[in-house]
Amino acid sequence: MIRNILFDMGSVLVRFEPAEFIARMGITGADAEALRLEVFRSADWVRLDRGVFTQRQAIDAVCARLPAHLHAAAEQLVLHWDAERPEVPGMFELVQELAGQGYTLYLLTNASIRHREYWPRFRFAPYFGERIMLSAQWQLMKPEREFYEKAVSLLGFDPAESVFIDDQPTNIEGAERCGIPGIVFHGDVALLRRRLREKGVDIAP
């Protein structure tokens, strides 16, 4: 019986669209592409999520590769990409319904230490409480086996009674190798609801 629903954050609960973050700053063309690649598609962003870089270290490393006129924008993106608190449409309602049905909700996310600052501002946060496996806190990341093993030992859920939802197939494959069934989320909440029902979750169409 499924008792626990495990969620990824970015592109599952929260929209994570670097091009949109950059566009709302009024930056376009080659400058926008440079920011997308050097901030969000860089190893420095991964180091933030792993918790081995501070924000200052990441900003300095990114700016070293960018022209001076983009430094302020790069810093803004690192520190405030979440300013608009964008939700994936339909996911808040799903979270509410699952919690109302008695399922225990967990967050398993690759995110920097700053997650502790912005996550409480999202409407989702109260439904998860402290049941969060944060990559930067433990310097472990999905899809590494150690990430999932730490999540199980830290949070105390039974993998066989759980379903994990993530937008990255590699993260789902990693979870399933540790005995946690998963669903790849492609942005279609109606399809996700169907997949959850197929796994025995009591949820409306």
Side-chain angles (χ1 to χ4, degrees):
M1 176 183 293
I2 301 299
R3 303 178 187 275
N4 313 303
I5 312 296
L6 287 47
F7 287 88
D8 174 38
M9 182 183 67
S11 298
V12 174
L13 298 174
V14 176
R15 289 171 56 205
F16 188 77
E17 300 177 6
E20 182 178 307
F21 305 154
I22 296 165
R24 74 185 181 210
M25 300 174 73
I27 300 172
T28 60
D31 282 349
E33 181 64 2
L35 285 168
R36 186 185 72 84
L37 294 177
E38 298 299 346
V39 176
F40 297 104
R41 296 292 295 170
S42 70
D44 303 312
W45 191 266
V46 177
R47 293 182 183 107
L48 272 176
D49 284 354
R50 189 177 288 279
V52 297
F53 253 22
T54 65
Q55 292 175 347
R56 188 71 259 167
Q57 286 175 307
I59 291 165
D60 289 346
V62 165
C63 287
R65 299 190 299 271
L66 289 169
H69 72 278
L70 292 179
H71 289 185
E75 182 165 353
Q76 179 74 7
L77 288 167
V78 171
L79 296 178
H80 302 293
W81 66 266
D82 57 285
E84 299 296 324
R85 298 193 290 279
E87 297 177 359
V88 172
M91 291 302 288
F92 178 70
E93 292 76 11
L94 176 60
V95 164
Q96 277 188 312
E97 186 175 344
L98 288 166
Q101 291 288 78
Y103 293 98
T104 304
L105 308 185
Y106 297 81
L107 187 71
L108 277 60
T109 182
N110 286 346
S112 73
I113 289 296
R114 199 171 69 81
H115 179 272
R116 297 168 178 167
E117 170 189 329
Y118 61 73
W119 174 247
R121 300 199 298 262
F122 283 94
R123 296 190 296 166
F124 300 106
Y127 295 97
F128 292 83
E130 299 300 315
R131 297 180 299 277
I132 298 171
M133 175 63 187
L134 178 64
S135 62
Q137 182 177 1
W138 302 100
Q139 297 187 0
L140 298 170
M141 294 183 68
K142 298 175 291 182
E144 297 163 358
R145 170 178 288 274
E146 293 82 2
F147 178 97
Y148 303 102
E149 291 175 343
K150 184 65 177 180
V152 171
S153 66
L154 177 71
L155 301 175
F157 60 86
D158 183 344
E161 296 181 343
S162 306
V163 175
F164 178 44
I165 303 163
D166 197 297
D167 66 305
Q168 296 296 320
T170 54
N171 293 342
I172 294 299
E173 191 271 344
E176 291 182 340
R177 284 170 62 86
C178 294
I180 306 170
I183 299 171
V184 180
F185 178 61
H186 298 293
D188 185 335
V189 178
L191 177 59
L192 174 59
R193 285 175 173 272
R194 187 160 72 247
R195 295 284 183 261
L196 285 168
R197 290 196 304 276
E198 289 169 357
K199 290 187 177 292
V201 176
D202 184 11
I203 195 77

